Amino acid sequence: MSGGTTTHDLGVYVHVPFCEHICPYCDFAVEDTGLDPALEREFVDLLLRELELACTAYALELDGRELATVYLGGGTPSLLQPGSVERLLGALERAFGSRPGEVTLELNPGRV
């Protein structure tokens, strides 16, 4: 989590480390395993657990702050099923008590 547009706003980056293949220019931590449904479910479950732990650990620092932006990057976060993205965004909304003003999902043009 990082500071957002004001001292009270927050920006959250979610790294999705899965790709169909690794691009020659990529320096990110990624796996070229694709994303089967069982792995995707486990990954999202672990992200939600990490969110819960982070919100508990940083409760004082997060108090009164609003979620301004969410950026799903990677890898290829567009490999996630819509239901998984919905689970992630719903958990973030519940954790921060508001909807983010902006959500960005990185994708490869060939996946549109």
Side-chain angles (χ1 to χ4, degrees):
M1 288 181 254
S2 65
T5 56
T6 72
T7 57
H8 295 335
D9 291 344
L10 291 171
V12 173
Y13 172 79
V14 179
H15 184 75
V16 180
F18 303 100
C19 292
E20 292 174 313
H21 67 278
I22 297 176
C23 298
Y25 55 82
C26 183
D27 287 331
F28 290 102
V30 296
E31 295 288 327
D32 64 350
T33 59
L35 192 55
D36 69 58
L39 180 60
E40 179 175 344
R41 193 170 29 260
E42 181 180 8
F43 175 72
V44 173
D45 288 345
L46 290 170
L47 278 177
L48 297 181
R49 179 66 179 136
E50 186 174 357
L51 172 63
E52 180 184 323
L53 292 170
C55 286
T56 299
Y58 296 101
L60 291 175
E61 290 90 340
L62 296 174
D63 188 39
R65 298 181 78 183
E66 291 186 25
L67 183 59
T69 62
V70 175
Y71 187 93
L72 292 111
T76 310
S78 61
L79 290 175
L80 293 173
Q81 296 299 310
S84 294
V85 175
E86 183 178 10
R87 282 182 66 204
L88 287 169
L89 293 177
L92 287 164
E93 289 175 19
R94 287 187 298 280
F96 291 97
S98 64
R99 299 183 102 181
E102 178 182 319
V103 176
T104 303
L105 184 128
E106 186 179 297
L107 58 88
N108 288 330
R111 301 266 318 152
V112 176

